[in-house]
C-alpha cells in the first residue's frame, strides 16, 4: 500500500483544479512521486491541441490510457470486403477474428441484414386519476408532445428520422400509480441518446402542462409526479442478423482429426450447450462481444450500451442464452447471430475522436445500418474462432501463443530473448511457468 497522502482524504473542488495540480495530488498518494508524474505525463500527446481534445472528453483527465488499435483484414460482408478496425487489449482477439474472416471470405463471406433500427425512450410517472379519461385524451397529448419538440426534431426529420410512435402504458398492477409513456424513435445514423433524452424531457414538461390545463382533469388529476425521463438501452427493435453457411465438405480442413461433418456436429453441440446452460452462455456471448466491443470502441460507439442491450436480448425468452445459433440441414452448416446493436456513424465521439473518425473513413464511411452489419460480423467471427478452437485443439494453445509477448514483457525480456522464445515455443505449449523457466535457462547460460 503506497504511503504519502492519506487515502481517505476528501478533496473538495478537485475538478476545478488545473491539470498539473490534479496530477500532483495523485502523485502525492504514491511512494514514487517523481516517477508517477513522469509516467502519467509520458502518455500525454506531444501535440497539445490533440491532447486538449482528449482532456475535454471527460472530467479530471490526467493522462491517456492506451489500448492497441488493430485491424482485421478480409472481412467480406454481402460481397464487399472490409479492413475492420478493432480496439482491444486481449492478445488473441484480432488474430482470431482475422483467421475466421479469412476462412469465411473463401466460403461465401458473411451475409447480413438489418431488421430494424427503432429505439425507445420512456417517461416514467405517477398519477392518481381516471385512466379511461387519460386514454381518451392521449391522442391530443401526443399531438401536443410532438409540437413541443418540433424544434428538436426538425433536423432529425430532415435526415429521415424522428419520433415514430407514443404508447401509454399502465403498470399500476406492479407499482402504485405508475404509468409510462413509451416512445419509439428513428435516429437514422446517430446513436441518438442526446436527441432522445432531450425529446423525453420536453414530453414530461408537456405532460404536466397538459394535465394542469385541460378541463377534462379535475383536482388531483391535474397533478403528476414525473419520476424520470430517459432512453432505454434495450433496443430489441434495432436489430441485425448476420450469418455464414457452407457445405460440410468445406469444413473439412478446420481440424486434422475431424471430418467436415464431425466438425459441424461438435460445433452445433457447443452452441446448443450455450443455449441451455447459462454459465456457458455467458462465456460464449463474451466471445461475441470481444469482436463487437472492439469495433464499437474503434468507431467511437458506446460499447456499454451495446453490451447491456445484447445481454438483455440474450435473456428475452426468460433464460440467458447464446446470442448465436447453428442449424444443420442436409449437408449444410449455417451459423448466425441476431443481436440488437444501437450504433451510430454521426454525432457523439464518431467525428470528435480522431481515430474513431479515421476508423469510419477506413470502413468507407458506412451508415449506421452498415456499421451494425460490420460489428455483428466481427462478433460472429470471434465467436466462430473461439468455438472452433474449443471443439478442436482447445483455446489455450492459440491464446497463450498470442499471450507469449505479454509474459516475456512481464519478465522484461530483451528483443533477442523474445526472438529466441518465439523460436523455442513455436511447437510447444506456452505457460507463465514455461516462459519463466525458459528465460532463466538462457539467462544463466
Ligand atoms: C475469451 O476472451 C473468449 C472465450 O472464452 C469465448 C468462448 O469461450 O466462447 C474464448
Amino acid at each position: 500500500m503506497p504511503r504519502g497522502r492519506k487515502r481517505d482524504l476528501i478533496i473538495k473542488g478537485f475538478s476545478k483544479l488545473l491539470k498539473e495540480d490534479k496530477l500532483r495530488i495523485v502523485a502525492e498518494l504514491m511512494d514514487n512521486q517523481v516517477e508517477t508524474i513522469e509516467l502519467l505525463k509520458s502518455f500525454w500527446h506531444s501535440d497539445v491541441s490533440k491532447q486538449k481534445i482528449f482532456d475535454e472528453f471527460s472530467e479530471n483527465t490526467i493522462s491517456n490510457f492506451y489500448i492497441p488499435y488493430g485491424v482485421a483484414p478480409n472481412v467480406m460482408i454481402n460481397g464487399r470486403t472490409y479492413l475492420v478496425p478493432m480496439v482491444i487489449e486481449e492478445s488473441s482477439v484480432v488474430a482470431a477474428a482475422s483467421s475466421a474472416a479469412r476462412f469465411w471470405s473463401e466460403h461465401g463471406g458473411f451475409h447480413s441484414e438489418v431488421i430494424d433500427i427503432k429505439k425507445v425512450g420512456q417517461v416514467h410517472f405517477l398519477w392518481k386519476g381516471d385512466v379511461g379519461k387519460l386514454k381518451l385524451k392521449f391522442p391530443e397529448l401526443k399531438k401536443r408532445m410532438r409540437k413541443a419538440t418540433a424544434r428538436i426534431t426538425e433536423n432529425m426529420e430532415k435526415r429521415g428520422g424522428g419520433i415514430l410512435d407514443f404508447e401509454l402504458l399502465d403498470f399500476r398492477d406492479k407499482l402504485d400509480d405508475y404509468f409510462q409513456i413509451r416512445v419509439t424513435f428513428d435516429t437514422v445514423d446517430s446513436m441518438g441518446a442526446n436527441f432522445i433524452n432531450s425529446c423525453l424531457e420536453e414530453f414530461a414538461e408537456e405532460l404536466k402542462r397538459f394535465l394542469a390545463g385541460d378541463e377534462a382533469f379535475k383536482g388531483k388529476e391535474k397533478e403528476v409526479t414525473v419520476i424520470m425521463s430517459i432512453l432505454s438501452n434495450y433496443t430489441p427493435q434495432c436489430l441485425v442478423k448476420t450469418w455464414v453457411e457452407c457445405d460440410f465438405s468445406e469444413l473439412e480442413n478446420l481440424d486434422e482429426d475431424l471430418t467436415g461433418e464431425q466438425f459441424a456436429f461438435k460445433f452445433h453441440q457447443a452452441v446448443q450447450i450455450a443455449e441451455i446452460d447459462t454459465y456457458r452462455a455467458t462465456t460464449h456471448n463474451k466471445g461475441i462481444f470481444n469482436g463487437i466491443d472492439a469495433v464499437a470502441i474503434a468507431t467511437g460507439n458506446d460499447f456499454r450500451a451495446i453490451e447491456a442491450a445484447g445481454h438483455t436480448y440474450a435473456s428475452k425468452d426468460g433464460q440467458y442464452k447464446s446470442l448465436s445459433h447453428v442449424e444443420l440441414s442436409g449437408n449444410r452448416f449455417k451459423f448466425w447471430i441476431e443481436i440488437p446493436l444501437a450504433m451510430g456513424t454521426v454525432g457523439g465521439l464518431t467525428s470528435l475522436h480522431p481515430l474513431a473518425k479515421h476508423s469510419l473513413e477506413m470502413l468507407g464511411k458506412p451508415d449506421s445500418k452498415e456499421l451494425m452489419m460490420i460489428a455483428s460480423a466481427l462478433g460472429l467471427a470471434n465467436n466462430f474462432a473461439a468455438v472452433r478452437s474449443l471443439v478442436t485443439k482447445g483455446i489455450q494453445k492459440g491464446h497463450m501463443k498470442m499471450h507469449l509477448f505479454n509474459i516475456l514483457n512481464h519478465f522484461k525480456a530483451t528483443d533477442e530473448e523474445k526472438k529466441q522464445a518465439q523460436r523455442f515455443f513455436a511447437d510447444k505449449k506456452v505457460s507463465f511457468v514455461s516462459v519463466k523457466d525458459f528465460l532463466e535457462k538462457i539467462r544463466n547460460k
Side-chain angles (χ1 to χ4, degrees), residues 90 93 280 283-287 290 383 386-387 390 395 399:
E90 192 176 324
V93 171
R280 174 58 203 150
T283 319
H284 182 94
N285 289 344
K286 187 272 184 187
N290 275 344
N383 190 211
V387 176
L390 290 168
I395 205 77
H399 189 76

Side-chain angles (χ1 to χ4, degrees), residues 13-48:
F14 188 78
S15 67
K16 295 191 185 67
L17 298 175
L18 293 173
K19 187 169 165 185
E20 291 277 356
D21 292 328
K22 290 176 189 161
L23 203 59
R24 188 180 40 74
I25 290 174
V26 170
E28 278 173 19
L29 285 169
M30 314 297 286
D31 281 340
N32 44 354
Q33 299 184 9
V34 175
E35 289 88 341
T36 298
I37 292 181
E38 264 173 27
L39 171 79
L40 291 168
K41 280 192 167 179
S42 72
F43 288 92
W44 286 9
H45 202 289
S46 54
D47 178 335
V48 177

